[in-house]
Amino acid sequence: MAKTELIDSHISVKQCTRAVRALHAYASKKQKEQEENELLPSNEQYVWLQITVKRMHPEHKSNHSKCTPLEHSLIDPRLTPVCLITKDPQREYKDLLESHKIKFISRVVGITKLKGKFKSYEARRMLLKENGMFLADERVIPLLPSLLGKKWFDAKKQPIPVCLTRKDLKGELERAIESTYMHQNRGTCTSVKIGLLSHTPEKMLDNIKISLPAIVNNIKGNWDNVQSLHIKTNTSISLPIWTCELGDATGGRWDGMVQSKDASEESKSDEDSDSGDTDMDLEEHAPEVPVSKGKSKDVTKPLDEIVEKSVTPKEVKQKRSTAGAEKKKAKIMKGGPAKSAKGVLIGKKPGRP
């Protein structure tokens, strides 16, 4: 039996090929149906590689992790404009590009022009729309988030840092355009562009083969921290190409995250002891409320007895009125005079001594 061909010693080439072909056929059919009902042509769709990790690392990463140049580039400078953001003066870097015979950079924008001409929201929106990719001098990268705004990040067009002081400037810019980038977030799922829908399934597979090792190397823990890999387009569902085992074996989903029996028993005993101590404390420190009984002020009763015997003000009033009526009735039965609330004698006719 022939040995199964693997990508980076983990992913089956056969499974990856089946997923890429199925995704390409489905997304192409949907795009064709959409174009028949729309007047304007739709934007080019990217093919994304989704990486899900087992343990997230919430530390903030502002820099882009450059993976590797793809075999089939996502950006063609002859068709898609590329903008370069530089330090001041802007003219100095335009002359630098001309001296290196670099003609695939469509526009050069300095920091001063970015603060002036492109300060308004409409001007920045047009700059974002007119250019398909943005490169920036690595020395001005910290200034760009406040100058550009969040729309660049929402559109996945963050400026890519490049070094403009290298001797091989043309090669530096070419590698930046031909590479794919991993914008790792603080969650457990990250997406990386690995192809275009206009690419054939074979070209997508070539890009996955060449970019996957570099992508995994940029993950903390490498393959031990990778849970699953999927591919998808901008609007499609994700198709799996690899997933780790769900057991606690080496490389499995719960590897290194399963609590040992000794630790679980110890924690259980601690919980039991804590709950017992709490109950004893509650019993010892049961609140007591002083209740006056006659003239004594030192009599105390537990709170539960007070709550059980508590009555409403209406009931107290009824009890008092009933007791008063019974007392007056008892005096009359004994023959003694009784007074009403107005001071009139009860039991004898008025006028008699």
Side-chain angles (χ1 to χ4, degrees), residues 46 187 252 256:
Y46 290 102

Side-chain angles (χ1 to χ4, degrees), residues 79-95:
L79 304 175
T80 305
V82 179
C83 178
L84 176 63
I85 302 175
T86 65
K87 292 179 64 178
D88 295 322
Q90 174 182 308
R91 171 51 55 184
E92 177 182 343
Y93 293 95
K94 286 185 176 180
D95 297 338

Side-chain angles (χ1 to χ4, degrees), residues 73-168:
S73 178
L74 306 178
I75 298 292
D76 187 355
R78 297 170 297 180
L79 304 175
T80 305
V82 179
C83 178
L84 176 63
I85 302 175
T86 65
K87 292 179 64 178
D88 295 322
Q90 174 182 308
R91 171 51 55 184
E92 177 182 343
Y93 293 95
K94 286 185 176 180
D95 297 338
L96 181 63
L97 296 179
E98 292 178 1
S99 64
H100 285 80
K101 297 180 180 181
I102 299 174
K103 299 181 180 180
F104 50 83
I105 299 296
S106 305
R107 188 167 195 169
V108 179
V109 179
I111 293 296
T112 301
K113 183 177 286 188
L114 202 59
K115 293 179 179 179
K117 182 179 179 180
F118 298 103
K119 183 179 181 179
S120 65
Y121 174 79
E122 290 297 328
R124 282 183 291 164
R125 187 174 64 87
M126 291 302 299
L127 180 66
L128 176 64
K129 186 178 180 180
E130 292 173 355
N131 298 275
M133 187 176 188
F134 291 86
L135 305 177
D137 190 344
E138 59 185 6
R139 294 170 291 183
V140 301
I141 286 290
L143 305 175
L144 297 183
S146 59
L147 296 177
L148 297 178
K150 68 175 184 178
K151 290 297 181 181
W152 260 257
F153 299 89
D154 295 340
K156 306 297 183 183
K157 290 185 179 181
Q158 299 96 316
I160 306 301
V162 292
C163 182
L164 299 182
T165 58
R166 291 189 177 180
K167 294 182 179 180
D168 186 14

Side-chain angles (χ1 to χ4, degrees), residues 264-328:
S264 61
E265 291 177 357
E266 184 178 353
S267 62
K268 187 176 180 179
S269 62
D270 293 341
E271 291 177 359
D272 294 341
S273 62
D274 292 342
S275 61
D277 295 342
T278 305
D279 295 340
M280 293 176 63
D281 294 341
L282 290 175
E283 292 177 358
E284 292 177 359
H285 301 284
E288 296 183 351
V289 179
V291 179
S292 60
K293 186 176 181 182
K295 298 182 180 180
S296 177
K297 297 183 180 180
D298 299 331
V299 180
T300 58
K301 291 187 178 181
L303 183 61
D304 296 339
E305 296 181 9
I306 297 173
V307 173
E308 290 178 359
K309 297 181 179 180
S310 62
V311 292
T312 60
K314 187 176 180 180
E315 294 176 349
V316 173
K317 187 176 181 181
Q318 291 177 353
K319 288 182 178 181
R320 288 179 179 176
S321 61
T322 304
E326 291 178 353
K327 188 175 181 180
K328 292 177 182 178

Side-chain angles (χ1 to χ4, degrees), residues 163-324:
C163 182
L164 299 182
T165 58
R166 291 189 177 180
K167 294 182 179 180
D168 186 14
L169 181 59
K170 186 175 182 180
E172 172 74 6
L173 297 179
E174 286 178 348
R175 285 190 295 271
I177 294 174
E178 295 174 355
S179 297
T180 184
Y181 296 86
M182 183 175 178
H183 309 289
Q184 192 166 2
N185 53 33
R186 299 186 183 184
T188 58
C189 186
T190 305
S191 299
V192 181
K193 299 175 184 176
I194 49 92
L196 299 170
L197 190 57
S198 57
H199 287 166
T200 61
E202 290 73 19
K203 291 183 178 180
M204 296 181 192
L205 188 60
D206 292 339
N207 284 348
I208 292 176
K209 288 180 180 179
I210 195 173
S211 63
L212 188 60
I215 292 174
V216 175
N217 287 335
N218 285 325
I219 298 174
K220 190 173 182 179
N222 298 339
W223 278 107
D224 293 337
N225 194 25
V226 178
Q227 179 177 337
S228 62
L229 297 172
H230 296 72
I231 57 172
K232 69 182 296 292
T233 63
N234 297 351
T235 57
S236 72
I237 60 174
S238 57
L239 300 180
I241 60 175
W242 182 85
T243 182
C244 67
E245 296 182 359
L246 294 179
D248 57 354
T250 304
R253 174 67 179 90
W254 311 112
D255 181 22
M257 292 187 288
V258 179
Q259 189 177 15
S260 62
K261 293 183 179 180
D262 297 338
S264 61
E265 291 177 357
E266 184 178 353
S267 62
K268 187 176 180 179
S269 62
D270 293 341
E271 291 177 359
D272 294 341
S273 62
D274 292 342
S275 61
D277 295 342
T278 305
D279 295 340
M280 293 176 63
D281 294 341
L282 290 175
E283 292 177 358
E284 292 177 359
H285 301 284
E288 296 183 351
V289 179
V291 179
S292 60
K293 186 176 181 182
K295 298 182 180 180
S296 177
K297 297 183 180 180
D298 299 331
V299 180
T300 58
K301 291 187 178 181
L303 183 61
D304 296 339
E305 296 181 9
I306 297 173
V307 173
E308 290 178 359
K309 297 181 179 180
S310 62
V311 292
T312 60
K314 187 176 180 180
E315 294 176 349
V316 173
K317 187 176 181 181
Q318 291 177 353
K319 288 182 178 181
R320 288 179 179 176
S321 61
T322 304

